[in-house]
C-alpha cells in the first residue's frame, strides 16, 4: 500500500487529480485537495500515480 502526502499550500484546486482518480482525491469546500482514503490499495496505485503526475503544481507526493 502507498500513502499520499499533500502540500495543501501548493494546491490551486484545478481538480486534475480528482478527475484521474476520483476514488482517491476530492476537493473540499475551499477547493483544496483532500485524500479520501487513508491508504491506497494496490488496485488503485497506478491511477493514483497518474493523478499525482497530473498535478500541475506538484502538490502530491506518493510515499510507499
Ligand atoms: S491536481 Fe494538484 S492543484 Fe489540482 S486539485 Fe489536485 S492537488 Fe490540487
Amino acid at each position: 500500500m502507498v500513502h499520499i502526502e499533500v502540500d495543501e499550500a501548493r494546491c490551486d484546486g484545478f481538480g486534475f487529480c480528482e478527475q484521474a482518480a476520483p476514488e482517491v482525491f476530492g476537493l473540499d469546500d475551499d477547493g483544496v485537495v483532500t485524500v479520501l482514503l487513508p491508504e491506497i490499495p494496490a488496485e488503485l496505485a497506478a491511477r493514483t500515480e497518474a493523478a499525482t503526475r497530473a498535478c500541475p503544481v506538484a502538490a502530491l507526493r506518493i510515499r510507499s
Side-chain angles (χ1 to χ4, degrees), residues 6-12 32-33 57 59:
V6 177
D7 186 342
E8 295 172 351
R10 292 183 81 116
C11 176
D12 278 335
V32 175
V33 67
V57 295

Side-chain angles (χ1 to χ4, degrees), residues 21-42:
E23 305 91 337
V24 178
F25 299 101
L27 295 179
D28 67 14
D29 291 342
D30 295 323
V32 175
V33 67
T34 182
V35 179
L36 305 176
L37 301 175
E39 293 189 336
I40 310 304

Side-chain angles (χ1 to χ4, degrees), residues 2-21:
V2 297
H3 302 264
I4 309 293
E5 289 181 351
V6 177
D7 186 342
E8 295 172 351
R10 292 183 81 116
C11 176
D12 278 335
F14 292 111
F16 296 136
C17 55
E18 183 182 36
Q19 289 174 23

